[in-house]
Amino acid sequence: MEYPVQSGFRQRKIQPEVRMRGAPVDPGDPRLLFDDTSAGGIGHRQALLSDPVSNLAMVYGSSLASHGREMMDQNLDRFIPISKLKYYFAVDTVYVGKKLGLLVFPYMHDNWEVSYQQDTPVAPRFDINAPDLYIPVMGFITYILVAGLALGTQNRFSPEILGIQASSALVWLIIEVLAVLLSLYLVTVNTDLTTIDLVAFSGYKYVGMIVGVIAGLLFGRMGYHLSLLWCCVSIFVFTIRTLRLKILSEAAAEGRLVRGAKNQLRMYLTMAIAAAQPVFMYWLTFHLVR
Amino acid sequence: MTRKFCCYFLTRSSSPGRLTVLLAMSGFDKLDADFYQSSFSVDDQNQGGGGYSNTDVQYSNPYGQYDYSQPMGYSAAPGIMQPQQPYTGQIFQPTPAFTPASTQSMYSSSFEDEPPLLEELGINFDHIWQKTLTVLHPLKAADGSIMNETDLAGPMVFCLAFGATLLFTGKIQFGYVYGISAIGCLGMYCLLNLMSMTGVSFGCVASVLGYCLLPMIILSSFGVLFSLQGMLGIILTAAIIGWCSFSASKIIISALAMDGQQLLVAYPCALLYGVFALISVF
């Protein structure tokens, strides 16, 4: 069993576990009582060898643990690319503030291009147009909590409701991302939109939903409807302006009129994705405000 | 018998500092706490040693083998063990100090050597108190190194206290408290690993979040006295959530050296403590 070098305080916490496992209560067998629990190298192993069963068990257990951890790391890296995810979380407070402002008021912003640095997109910290995952994740969790709060003020709260809201919102998110992926595939668009980008763009609508529900809690149904309307229009404009650059061809994105069925189809696709956002926003919040 | 006892101590320790202390055999409570692991193992053998005095004759041979093989083992290991070589000659000096009665020597001396229970368990009240003070003074700058030891004893106490104050209001929700704190710690662990340059361990995150639960206990004890659903309750809840998350983010930022992200770390902490507040208010 390995003893990592830590502060003495912590090391003593590790020791008792080894002692309890390695020293069974057996007054008749003296060797077991003198189990060596010091951090010495070879002497330690010699003591363990005196009881082959416990030694075997301990070696097997530690090898199993380290093997399990390696396997988990490898497999986790295959399914969830950790380094790619880290890019989406490289944000700071200034970026988040500006992005939230952009989500609610996208009309004054001019340049929607994502800047690149030698073929790799720049981290969100340095480019406001880059998608990130911090806002969608926090927005999702905040939405669930605000839903719990709204149901609580109507005396319909119980902790199970949080789980129900969370799972239904998650399912709708997955359905939306899959639908967008499917339609992008069918239209055969050559785009560099990754799945994580789509999750990020779909997650931005939670900000509008939260604003609407909080306005509904503070100002009643009229406040809810007005703020939700404002946020729906803003997210519509935001989505169109962002996705236009990614899905449409270069010329059409610059605003020049380009004829052709392909570009028309792509334009319809962009508008469909953008129009789906307000629909989801209303669908997921109307039952929270009475 | 006592010679074997001292050789046993030799095999236990792995640093020269401990050996010198062994030779002194007094005032060891002032020294490095690492020492205590040796004497604790003496206790351990005594717990199974009801028939110790009867069987010590049997100990001589196998223990003798064990004992003589140690110096060879230690000399083979580089570095750490070499300074112990000069001590092998001196190790038998303290034997006269260990003879009250031959059969009872192990038992009584180990009872005297027994370290305090809390220290064996690894609960250090001084550190717990320091960390608590850091939480209670959110405006004071935090020291990044205090969270190096992942101490879960304090957070456990705070979780239990929180559940107990909830119990006073009639809500038996220990399960929810533990479940939400587990899920919240897991979420914060994933988020902090993704957001920071260096990673964190799960124990560190759990420890920090658990300590910063302390103001929430104040909130739920207020909830015993008056209902928190009024305007005053809402203001108090918001203030306490802000306090908890501010001190948690302050400690995490200083421990992980993340710049310009304090509010970003404070927000998920505020969400987590908001869930606790939801439980205590509704």
Side-chain angles (χ1 to χ4, degrees), chain A residues 9 12 19 27 30 34-35 38 91 93 134 142, chain B residues 12 40 45 48 59 119 124 260-261 264 267:
Chain A
F9 198 71
R12 256 191 298 106
R19 272 196 286 277
F34 292 107
D35 217 7
S38 71
V91 294
T93 318
Y134 178 85
T142 311
Chain B
R12 279 298 168 279
F40 178 72
Q45 73 186 356
Y59 291 160
E119 233 173 301
N124 184 351
Q261 289 177 324
L264 299 187
Y267 185 69

mmCIF file with all atom_site columns, all heavy atoms in Angstrom, chain A residues 9 12 19 27 30 34-35 38 91 93 134 142, chain B residues 12 40 45 48 59 119 124 260-261 264 267:
data_model
loop_
_atom_site.group_PDB
_atom_site.id
_atom_site.type_symbol
_atom_site.label_atom_id
_atom_site.label_alt_id
_atom_site.label_comp_id
_atom_site.label_asym_id
_atom_site.label_entity_id
_atom_site.label_seq_id
_atom_site.pdbx_PDB_ins_code
_atom_site.Cartn_x
_atom_site.Cartn_y
_atom_site.Cartn_z
_atom_site.occupancy
_atom_site.B_iso_or_equiv
_atom_site.pdbx_formal_charge
_atom_site.auth_seq_id
_atom_site.auth_comp_id
_atom_site.auth_asym_id
_atom_site.auth_atom_id
_atom_site.pdbx_PDB_model_num
ATOM 1   N N   . PHE A 1 9   ? -0.111  15.275  9.827   1.00 0.00 ? 9   PHE A N   1
ATOM 2   C CA  . PHE A 1 9   ? -1.472  15.218  10.336  1.00 0.00 ? 9   PHE A CA  1
ATOM 3   C C   . PHE A 1 9   ? -2.307  14.264  9.495   1.00 0.00 ? 9   PHE A C   1
ATOM 4   O O   . PHE A 1 9   ? -3.037  13.463  9.990   1.00 0.00 ? 9   PHE A O   1
ATOM 5   C CB  . PHE A 1 9   ? -2.044  16.626  10.248  1.00 0.00 ? 9   PHE A CB  1
ATOM 6   C CG  . PHE A 1 9   ? -3.248  16.806  11.112  1.00 0.00 ? 9   PHE A CG  1
ATOM 7   C CD1 . PHE A 1 9   ? -3.144  16.838  12.480  1.00 0.00 ? 9   PHE A CD1 1
ATOM 8   C CD2 . PHE A 1 9   ? -4.492  16.958  10.545  1.00 0.00 ? 9   PHE A CD2 1
ATOM 9   C CE1 . PHE A 1 9   ? -4.253  17.009  13.266  1.00 0.00 ? 9   PHE A CE1 1
ATOM 10  C CE2 . PHE A 1 9   ? -5.597  17.133  11.327  1.00 0.00 ? 9   PHE A CE2 1
ATOM 11  C CZ  . PHE A 1 9   ? -5.473  17.159  12.687  1.00 0.00 ? 9   PHE A CZ  1
ATOM 12  N N   . ARG A 1 12  ? -1.325  10.395  9.567   1.00 0.00 ? 12  ARG A N   1
ATOM 13  C CA  . ARG A 1 12  ? -1.822  9.563   10.637  1.00 0.00 ? 12  ARG A CA  1
ATOM 14  C C   . ARG A 1 12  ? -3.227  9.098   10.370  1.00 0.00 ? 12  ARG A C   1
ATOM 15  O O   . ARG A 1 12  ? -3.660  8.103   10.879  1.00 0.00 ? 12  ARG A O   1
ATOM 16  C CB  . ARG A 1 12  ? -1.770  10.308  11.960  1.00 0.00 ? 12  ARG A CB  1
ATOM 17  C CG  . ARG A 1 12  ? -0.637  9.856   12.811  1.00 0.00 ? 12  ARG A CG  1
ATOM 18  C CD  . ARG A 1 12  ? -0.720  10.370  14.200  1.00 0.00 ? 12  ARG A CD  1
ATOM 19  N NE  . ARG A 1 12  ? -0.654  11.802  14.229  1.00 0.00 ? 12  ARG A NE  1
ATOM 20  C CZ  . ARG A 1 12  ? -1.704  12.543  14.465  1.00 0.00 ? 12  ARG A CZ  1
ATOM 21  N NH1 . ARG A 1 12  ? -2.850  12.013  14.695  1.00 0.00 ? 12  ARG A NH1 1
ATOM 22  N NH2 . ARG A 1 12  ? -1.608  13.850  14.467  1.00 0.00 ? 12  ARG A NH2 1
ATOM 23  N N   . ARG A 1 19  ? -3.729  -0.321  9.732   1.00 0.00 ? 19  ARG A N   1
ATOM 24  C CA  . ARG A 1 19  ? -3.596  -1.142  10.930  1.00 0.00 ? 19  ARG A CA  1
ATOM 25  C C   . ARG A 1 19  ? -4.823  -2.001  11.121  1.00 0.00 ? 19  ARG A C   1
ATOM 26  O O   . ARG A 1 19  ? -4.745  -3.163  11.410  1.00 0.00 ? 19  ARG A O   1
ATOM 27  C CB  . ARG A 1 19  ? -3.398  -0.262  12.149  1.00 0.00 ? 19  ARG A CB  1
ATOM 28  C CG  . ARG A 1 19  ? -1.959  0.072   12.394  1.00 0.00 ? 19  ARG A CG  1
ATOM 29  C CD  . ARG A 1 19  ? -1.817  0.591   13.780  1.00 0.00 ? 19  ARG A CD  1
ATOM 30  N NE  . ARG A 1 19  ? -2.350  1.937   13.860  1.00 0.00 ? 19  ARG A NE  1
ATOM 31  C CZ  . ARG A 1 19  ? -1.647  3.009   13.512  1.00 0.00 ? 19  ARG A CZ  1
ATOM 32  N NH1 . ARG A 1 19  ? -0.419  2.909   13.081  1.00 0.00 ? 19  ARG A NH1 1
ATOM 33  N NH2 . ARG A 1 19  ? -2.176  4.195   13.588  1.00 0.00 ? 19  ARG A NH2 1
ATOM 34  N N   . PRO A 1 27  ? -4.966  -13.148 19.329  1.00 0.00 ? 27  PRO A N   1
ATOM 35  C CA  . PRO A 1 27  ? -3.886  -13.115 20.319  1.00 0.00 ? 27  PRO A CA  1
ATOM 36  C C   . PRO A 1 27  ? -2.958  -14.311 20.218  1.00 0.00 ? 27  PRO A C   1
ATOM 37  O O   . PRO A 1 27  ? -1.845  -14.275 20.696  1.00 0.00 ? 27  PRO A O   1
ATOM 38  C CB  . PRO A 1 27  ? -4.637  -13.106 21.662  1.00 0.00 ? 27  PRO A CB  1
ATOM 39  C CG  . PRO A 1 27  ? -6.008  -13.591 21.355  1.00 0.00 ? 27  PRO A CG  1
ATOM 40  C CD  . PRO A 1 27  ? -6.288  -13.249 19.942  1.00 0.00 ? 27  PRO A CD  1
ATOM 41  N N   . PRO A 1 30  ? 1.471   -14.193 17.256  1.00 0.00 ? 30  PRO A N   1
ATOM 42  C CA  . PRO A 1 30  ? 2.223   -12.995 17.642  1.00 0.00 ? 30  PRO A CA  1
ATOM 43  C C   . PRO A 1 30  ? 2.684   -12.165 16.461  1.00 0.00 ? 30  PRO A C   1
ATOM 44  O O   . PRO A 1 30  ? 2.791   -10.962 16.548  1.00 0.00 ? 30  PRO A O   1
ATOM 45  C CB  . PRO A 1 30  ? 3.420   -13.565 18.420  1.00 0.00 ? 30  PRO A CB  1
ATOM 46  C CG  . PRO A 1 30  ? 3.578   -14.944 17.889  1.00 0.00 ? 30  PRO A CG  1
ATOM 47  C CD  . PRO A 1 30  ? 2.221   -15.436 17.563  1.00 0.00 ? 30  PRO A CD  1
ATOM 48  N N   . PHE A 1 34  ? 2.544   -7.633  15.557  1.00 0.00 ? 34  PHE A N   1
ATOM 49  C CA  . PHE A 1 34  ? 3.664   -6.725  15.321  1.00 0.00 ? 34  PHE A CA  1
ATOM 50  C C   . PHE A 1 34  ? 3.686   -6.259  13.893  1.00 0.00 ? 34  PHE A C   1
ATOM 51  O O   . PHE A 1 34  ? 4.727   -6.089  13.303  1.00 0.00 ? 34  PHE A O   1
ATOM 52  C CB  . PHE A 1 34  ? 4.983   -7.438  15.631  1.00 0.00 ? 34  PHE A CB  1
ATOM 53  C CG  . PHE A 1 34  ? 5.126   -7.711  17.087  1.00 0.00 ? 34  PHE A CG  1
ATOM 54  C CD1 . PHE A 1 34  ? 4.995   -8.994  17.572  1.00 0.00 ? 34  PHE A CD1 1
ATOM 55  C CD2 . PHE A 1 34  ? 5.355   -6.684  17.972  1.00 0.00 ? 34  PHE A CD2 1
ATOM 56  C CE1 . PHE A 1 34  ? 5.117   -9.249  18.916  1.00 0.00 ? 34  PHE A CE1 1
ATOM 57  C CE2 . PHE A 1 34  ? 5.470   -6.932  19.318  1.00 0.00 ? 34  PHE A CE2 1
ATOM 58  C CZ  . PHE A 1 34  ? 5.359   -8.221  19.789  1.00 0.00 ? 34  PHE A CZ  1
ATOM 59  N N   . ASP A 1 35  ? 2.536   -6.041  13.350  1.00 0.00 ? 35  ASP A N   1
ATOM 60  C CA  . ASP A 1 35  ? 2.458   -5.607  11.959  1.00 0.00 ? 35  ASP A CA  1
ATOM 61  C C   . ASP A 1 35  ? 3.150   -4.271  11.787  1.00 0.00 ? 35  ASP A C   1
ATOM 62  O O   . ASP A 1 35  ? 2.888   -3.340  12.534  1.00 0.00 ? 35  ASP A O   1
ATOM 63  C CB  . ASP A 1 35  ? 0.982   -5.466  11.578  1.00 0.00 ? 35  ASP A CB  1
ATOM 64  C CG  . ASP A 1 35  ? 0.753   -5.905  10.166  1.00 0.00 ? 35  ASP A CG  1
ATOM 65  O OD1 . ASP A 1 35  ? 1.711   -6.427  9.566   1.00 0.00 ? 35  ASP A OD1 1
ATOM 66  O OD2 . ASP A 1 35  ? -0.355  -5.729  9.680   1.00 0.00 ? 35  ASP A OD2 1
ATOM 67  N N   . SER A 1 38  ? 4.954   1.291   9.615   1.00 0.00 ? 38  SER A N   1
ATOM 68  C CA  . SER A 1 38  ? 5.744   2.489   9.332   1.00 0.00 ? 38  SER A CA  1
ATOM 69  C C   . SER A 1 38  ? 5.870   2.654   7.831   1.00 0.00 ? 38  SER A C   1
ATOM 70  O O   . SER A 1 38  ? 5.477   1.795   7.050   1.00 0.00 ? 38  SER A O   1
ATOM 71  C CB  . SER A 1 38  ? 7.132   2.355   9.938   1.00 0.00 ? 38  SER A CB  1
ATOM 72  O OG  . SER A 1 38  ? 7.861   1.398   9.200   1.00 0.00 ? 38  SER A OG  1
ATOM 73  N N   . VAL A 1 91  ? -13.301 31.127  -18.856 1.00 0.00 ? 91  VAL A N   1
ATOM 74  C CA  . VAL A 1 91  ? -13.997 32.405  -18.903 1.00 0.00 ? 91  VAL A CA  1
ATOM 75  C C   . VAL A 1 91  ? -13.579 33.232  -17.709 1.00 0.00 ? 91  VAL A C   1
ATOM 76  O O   . VAL A 1 91  ? -12.994 32.735  -16.767 1.00 0.00 ? 91  VAL A O   1
ATOM 77  C CB  . VAL A 1 91  ? -15.532 32.198  -18.859 1.00 0.00 ? 91  VAL A CB  1
ATOM 78  C CG1 . VAL A 1 91  ? -15.996 31.500  -20.099 1.00 0.00 ? 91  VAL A CG1 1
ATOM 79  C CG2 . VAL A 1 91  ? -15.902 31.401  -17.649 1.00 0.00 ? 91  VAL A CG2 1
ATOM 80  N N   . THR A 1 93  ? -14.954 36.958  -15.368 1.00 0.00 ? 93  THR A N   1
ATOM 81  C CA  . THR A 1 93  ? -16.157 37.688  -14.990 1.00 0.00 ? 93  THR A CA  1
ATOM 82  C C   . THR A 1 93  ? -16.554 38.712  -16.045 1.00 0.00 ? 93  THR A C   1
ATOM 83  O O   . THR A 1 93  ? -17.751 38.904  -16.321 1.00 0.00 ? 93  THR A O   1
ATOM 84  C CB  . THR A 1 93  ? -15.916 38.397  -13.648 1.00 0.00 ? 93  THR A CB  1
ATOM 85  O OG1 . THR A 1 93  ? -15.219 37.517  -12.788 1.00 0.00 ? 93  THR A OG1 1
ATOM 86  C CG2 . THR A 1 93  ? -17.220 38.786  -13.016 1.00 0.00 ? 93  THR A CG2 1
ATOM 87  N N   . TYR A 1 134 ? -20.045 27.854  -19.526 1.00 0.00 ? 134 TYR A N   1
ATOM 88  C CA  . TYR A 1 134 ? -20.301 28.258  -18.141 1.00 0.00 ? 134 TYR A CA  1
ATOM 89  C C   . TYR A 1 134 ? -21.707 28.824  -18.016 1.00 0.00 ? 134 TYR A C   1
ATOM 90  O O   . TYR A 1 134 ? -22.461 28.452  -17.127 1.00 0.00 ? 134 TYR A O   1
ATOM 91  C CB  . TYR A 1 134 ? -19.268 29.301  -17.712 1.00 0.00 ? 134 TYR A CB  1
ATOM 92  C CG  . TYR A 1 134 ? -19.480 29.816  -16.326 1.00 0.00 ? 134 TYR A CG  1
ATOM 93  C CD1 . TYR A 1 134 ? -18.978 29.139  -15.230 1.00 0.00 ? 134 TYR A CD1 1
ATOM 94  C CD2 . TYR A 1 134 ? -20.192 30.986  -16.100 1.00 0.00 ? 134 TYR A CD2 1
ATOM 95  C CE1 . TYR A 1 134 ? -19.181 29.599  -13.953 1.00 0.00 ? 134 TYR A CE1 1
ATOM 96  C CE2 . TYR A 1 134 ? -20.402 31.442  -14.824 1.00 0.00 ? 134 TYR A CE2 1
ATOM 97  C CZ  . TYR A 1 134 ? -19.893 30.754  -13.760 1.00 0.00 ? 134 TYR A CZ  1
ATOM 98  O OH  . TYR A 1 134 ? -20.102 31.216  -12.498 1.00 0.00 ? 134 TYR A OH  1
ATOM 99  N N   . THR A 1 142 ? -29.655 27.328  -12.456 1.00 0.00 ? 142 THR A N   1
ATOM 100 C CA  . THR A 1 142 ? -30.434 28.431  -11.888 1.00 0.00 ? 142 THR A CA  1
ATOM 101 C C   . THR A 1 142 ? -31.900 28.303  -12.276 1.00 0.00 ? 142 THR A C   1
ATOM 102 O O   . THR A 1 142 ? -32.785 28.594  -11.463 1.00 0.00 ? 142 THR A O   1
ATOM 103 C CB  . THR A 1 142 ? -29.894 29.775  -12.393 1.00 0.00 ? 142 THR A CB  1
ATOM 104 O OG1 . THR A 1 142 ? -28.495 29.794  -12.227 1.00 0.00 ? 142 THR A OG1 1
ATOM 105 C CG2 . THR A 1 142 ? -30.522 30.927  -11.657 1.00 0.00 ? 142 THR A CG2 1
ATOM 106 N N   . ARG B 2 12  ? 9.353   0.277   13.711  1.00 0.00 ? 12  ARG B N   1
ATOM 107 C CA  . ARG B 2 12  ? 8.205   1.155   13.475  1.00 0.00 ? 12  ARG B CA  1
ATOM 108 C C   . ARG B 2 12  ? 8.578   2.440   12.788  1.00 0.00 ? 12  ARG B C   1
ATOM 109 O O   . ARG B 2 12  ? 7.973   2.871   11.846  1.00 0.00 ? 12  ARG B O   1
ATOM 110 C CB  . ARG B 2 12  ? 7.543   1.531   14.799  1.00 0.00 ? 12  ARG B CB  1
ATOM 111 C CG  . ARG B 2 12  ? 6.641   0.506   15.339  1.00 0.00 ? 12  ARG B CG  1
ATOM 112 C CD  . ARG B 2 12  ? 5.508   0.244   14.404  1.00 0.00 ? 12  ARG B CD  1
ATOM 113 N NE  . ARG B 2 12  ? 4.789   -0.944  14.797  1.00 0.00 ? 12  ARG B NE  1
ATOM 114 C CZ  . ARG B 2 12  ? 5.206   -2.155  14.485  1.00 0.00 ? 12  ARG B CZ  1
ATOM 115 N NH1 . ARG B 2 12  ? 6.321   -2.322  13.814  1.00 0.00 ? 12  ARG B NH1 1
ATOM 116 N NH2 . ARG B 2 12  ? 4.527   -3.210  14.854  1.00 0.00 ? 12  ARG B NH2 1
ATOM 117 N N   . PHE B 2 40  ? 0.937   4.138   18.925  1.00 0.00 ? 40  PHE B N   1
ATOM 118 C CA  . PHE B 2 40  ? -0.427  3.652   18.713  1.00 0.00 ? 40  PHE B CA  1
ATOM 119 C C   . PHE B 2 40  ? -0.406  2.194   18.306  1.00 0.00 ? 40  PHE B C   1
ATOM 120 O O   . PHE B 2 40  ? -1.262  1.424   18.654  1.00 0.00 ? 40  PHE B O   1
ATOM 121 C CB  . PHE B 2 40  ? -1.119  4.490   17.649  1.00 0.00 ? 40  PHE B CB  1
ATOM 122 C CG  . PHE B 2 40  ? -2.502  3.993   17.370  1.00 0.00 ? 40  PHE B CG  1
ATOM 123 C CD1 . PHE B 2 40  ? -3.512  4.185   18.291  1.00 0.00 ? 40  PHE B CD1 1
ATOM 124 C CD2 . PHE B 2 40  ? -2.794  3.329   16.191  1.00 0.00 ? 40  PHE B CD2 1
ATOM 125 C CE1 . PHE B 2 40  ? -4.786  3.736   18.038  1.00 0.00 ? 40  PHE B CE1 1
ATOM 126 C CE2 . PHE B 2 40  ? -4.073  2.886   15.953  1.00 0.00 ? 40  PHE B CE2 1
ATOM 127 C CZ  . PHE B 2 40  ? -5.068  3.089   16.879  1.00 0.00 ? 40  PHE B CZ  1
ATOM 128 N N   . GLN B 2 45  ? -1.397  -3.793  19.382  1.00 0.00 ? 45  GLN B N   1
ATOM 129 C CA  . GLN B 2 45  ? -1.069  -5.165  19.713  1.00 0.00 ? 45  GLN B CA  1
ATOM 130 C C   . GLN B 2 45  ? -1.607  -5.535  21.064  1.00 0.00 ? 45  GLN B C   1
ATOM 131 O O   . GLN B 2 45  ? -1.892  -6.680  21.337  1.00 0.00 ? 45  GLN B O   1
ATOM 132 C CB  . GLN B 2 45  ? 0.441   -5.375  19.644  1.00 0.00 ? 45  GLN B CB  1
ATOM 133 C CG  . GLN B 2 45  ? 1.174   -4.732  20.796  1.00 0.00 ? 45  GLN B CG  1
ATOM 134 C CD  . GLN B 2 45  ? 2.654   -4.827  20.607  1.00 0.00 ? 45  GLN B CD  1
ATOM 135 O OE1 . GLN B 2 45  ? 3.094   -5.429  19.661  1.00 0.00 ? 45  GLN B OE1 1
ATOM 136 N NE2 . GLN B 2 45  ? 3.422   -4.232  21.495  1.00 0.00 ? 45  GLN B NE2 1
ATOM 137 N N   . GLY B 2 48  ? -5.285  -6.946  21.162  1.00 0.00 ? 48  GLY B N   1
ATOM 138 C CA  . GLY B 2 48  ? -5.469  -8.375  20.959  1.00 0.00 ? 48  GLY B CA  1
ATOM 139 C C   . GLY B 2 48  ? -4.687  -9.182  21.975  1.00 0.00 ? 48  GLY B C   1
ATOM 140 O O   . GLY B 2 48  ? -4.615  -10.395 21.897  1.00 0.00 ? 48  GLY B O   1
ATOM 141 N N   . TYR B 2 59  ? 6.833   -15.401 21.592  1.00 0.00 ? 59  TYR B N   1
ATOM 142 C CA  . TYR B 2 59  ? 7.187   -14.282 20.744  1.00 0.00 ? 59  TYR B CA  1
ATOM 143 C C   . TYR B 2 59  ? 8.656   -14.280 20.389  1.00 0.00 ? 59  TYR B C   1
ATOM 144 O O   . TYR B 2 59  ? 9.053   -13.739 19.387  1.00 0.00 ? 59  TYR B O   1
ATOM 145 C CB  . TYR B 2 59  ? 6.900   -12.942 21.439  1.00 0.00 ? 59  TYR B CB  1
ATOM 146 C CG  . TYR B 2 59  ? 5.445   -12.660 21.601  1.00 0.00 ? 59  TYR B CG  1
ATOM 147 C CD1 . TYR B 2 59  ? 5.022   -11.745 22.534  1.00 0.00 ? 59  TYR B CD1 1
ATOM 148 C CD2 . TYR B 2 59  ? 4.491   -13.310 20.819  1.00 0.00 ? 59  TYR B CD2 1
ATOM 149 C CE1 . TYR B 2 59  ? 3.702   -11.472 22.687  1.00 0.00 ? 59  TYR B CE1 1
ATOM 150 C CE2 . TYR B 2 59  ? 3.171   -13.042 20.979  1.00 0.00 ? 59  TYR B CE2 1
ATOM 151 C CZ  . TYR B 2 59  ? 2.771   -12.118 21.923  1.00 0.00 ? 59  TYR B CZ  1
ATOM 152 O OH  . TYR B 2 59  ? 1.462   -11.837 22.071  1.00 0.00 ? 59  TYR B OH  1
ATOM 153 N N   . GLU B 2 119 ? -6.344  13.167  18.788  1.00 0.00 ? 119 GLU B N   1
ATOM 154 C CA  . GLU B 2 119 ? -5.216  13.247  17.882  1.00 0.00 ? 119 GLU B CA  1
ATOM 155 C C   . GLU B 2 119 ? -5.102  11.986  17.057  1.00 0.00 ? 119 GLU B C   1
ATOM 156 O O   . GLU B 2 119 ? -4.710  12.016  15.904  1.00 0.00 ? 119 GLU B O   1
ATOM 157 C CB  . GLU B 2 119 ? -3.937  13.472  18.675  1.00 0.00 ? 119 GLU B CB  1
ATOM 158 C CG  . GLU B 2 119 ? -3.201  14.676  18.148  1.00 0.00 ? 119 GLU B CG  1
ATOM 159 C CD  . GLU B 2 119 ? -2.030  15.065  18.968  1.00 0.00 ? 119 GLU B CD  1
ATOM 160 O OE1 . GLU B 2 119 ? -2.237  15.355  20.154  1.00 0.00 ? 119 GLU B OE1 1
ATOM 161 O OE2 . GLU B 2 119 ? -0.941  15.050  18.438  1.00 0.00 ? 119 GLU B OE2 1
ATOM 162 N N   . ASN B 2 124 ? -8.106  17.914  14.705  1.00 0.00 ? 124 ASN B N   1
ATOM 163 C CA  . ASN B 2 124 ? -7.250  18.910  15.336  1.00 0.00 ? 124 ASN B CA  1
ATOM 164 C C   . ASN B 2 124 ? -8.099  20.143  15.582  1.00 0.00 ? 124 ASN B C   1
ATOM 165 O O   . ASN B 2 124 ? -8.438  20.879  14.666  1.00 0.00 ? 124 ASN B O   1
ATOM 166 C CB  . ASN B 2 124 ? -6.099  19.212  14.372  1.00 0.00 ? 124 ASN B CB  1
ATOM 167 C CG  . ASN B 2 124 ? -5.112  20.167  14.976  1.00 0.00 ? 124 ASN B CG  1
ATOM 168 O OD1 . ASN B 2 124 ? -5.358  20.734  16.025  1.00 0.00 ? 124 ASN B OD1 1
ATOM 169 N ND2 . ASN B 2 124 ? -3.997  20.336  14.298  1.00 0.00 ? 124 ASN B ND2 1
ATOM 170 N N   . GLY B 2 260 ? -9.604  36.818  -11.477 1.00 0.00 ? 260 GLY B N   1
ATOM 171 C CA  . GLY B 2 260 ? -10.735 37.381  -12.199 1.00 0.00 ? 260 GLY B CA  1
ATOM 172 C C   . GLY B 2 260 ? -11.924 36.446  -12.273 1.00 0.00 ? 260 GLY B C   1
ATOM 173 O O   . GLY B 2 260 ? -12.777 36.596  -13.120 1.00 0.00 ? 260 GLY B O   1
ATOM 174 N N   . GLN B 2 261 ? -11.973 35.470  -11.381 1.00 0.00 ? 261 GLN B N   1
ATOM 175 C CA  . GLN B 2 261 ? -13.059 34.506  -11.452 1.00 0.00 ? 261 GLN B CA  1
ATOM 176 C C   . GLN B 2 261 ? -13.782 34.352  -10.126 1.00 0.00 ? 261 GLN B C   1
ATOM 177 O O   . GLN B 2 261 ? -14.503 33.384  -9.946  1.00 0.00 ? 261 GLN B O   1
ATOM 178 C CB  . GLN B 2 261 ? -12.511 33.134  -11.884 1.00 0.00 ? 261 GLN B CB  1
ATOM 179 C CG  . GLN B 2 261 ? -12.097 33.118  -13.334 1.00 0.00 ? 261 GLN B CG  1
ATOM 180 C CD  . GLN B 2 261 ? -11.492 31.799  -13.741 1.00 0.00 ? 261 GLN B CD  1
ATOM 181 O OE1 . GLN B 2 261 ? -10.796 31.162  -12.957 1.00 0.00 ? 261 GLN B OE1 1
ATOM 182 N NE2 . GLN B 2 261 ? -11.760 31.368  -14.948 1.00 0.00 ? 261 GLN B NE2 1
ATOM 183 N N   . LEU B 2 264 ? -17.424 34.269  -10.538 1.00 0.00 ? 264 LEU B N   1
ATOM 184 C CA  . LEU B 2 264 ? -17.830 33.069  -11.254 1.00 0.00 ? 264 LEU B CA  1
ATOM 185 C C   . LEU B 2 264 ? -17.827 31.852  -10.345 1.00 0.00 ? 264 LEU B C   1
ATOM 186 O O   . LEU B 2 264 ? -18.624 30.939  -10.544 1.00 0.00 ? 264 LEU B O   1
ATOM 187 C CB  . LEU B 2 264 ? -16.894 32.808  -12.440 1.00 0.00 ? 264 LEU B CB  1
ATOM 188 C CG  . LEU B 2 264 ? -16.852 33.891  -13.501 1.00 0.00 ? 264 LEU B CG  1
ATOM 189 C CD1 . LEU B 2 264 ? -16.035 33.415  -14.672 1.00 0.00 ? 264 LEU B CD1 1
ATOM 190 C CD2 . LEU B 2 264 ? -18.241 34.242  -13.957 1.00 0.00 ? 264 LEU B CD2 1
ATOM 191 N N   . TYR B 2 267 ? -20.857 32.240  -7.704  1.00 0.00 ? 267 TYR B N   1
ATOM 192 C CA  . TYR B 2 267 ? -22.230 32.003  -8.156  1.00 0.00 ? 267 TYR B CA  1
ATOM 193 C C   . TYR B 2 267 ? -22.676 30.562  -7.956  1.00 0.00 ? 267 TYR B C   1
ATOM 194 O O   . TYR B 2 267 ? -23.751 30.326  -7.407  1.00 0.00 ? 267 TYR B O   1
ATOM 195 C CB  . TYR B 2 267 ? -22.380 32.455  -9.609  1.00 0.00 ? 267 TYR B CB  1
ATOM 196 C CG  . TYR B 2 267 ? -23.786 32.346  -10.091 1.00 0.00 ? 267 TYR B CG  1
ATOM 197 C CD1 . TYR B 2 267 ? -24.763 33.189  -9.595  1.00 0.00 ? 267 TYR B CD1 1
ATOM 198 C CD2 . TYR B 2 267 ? -24.148 31.385  -11.015 1.00 0.00 ? 267 TYR B CD2 1
ATOM 199 C CE1 . TYR B 2 267 ? -26.065 33.076  -10.016 1.00 0.00 ? 267 TYR B CE1 1
ATOM 200 C CE2 . TYR B 2 267 ? -25.444 31.264  -11.436 1.00 0.00 ? 267 TYR B CE2 1
ATOM 201 C CZ  . TYR B 2 267 ? -26.399 32.113  -10.940 1.00 0.00 ? 267 TYR B CZ  1
ATOM 202 O OH  . TYR B 2 267 ? -27.682 31.996  -11.348 1.00 0.00 ? 267 TYR B OH  1
#
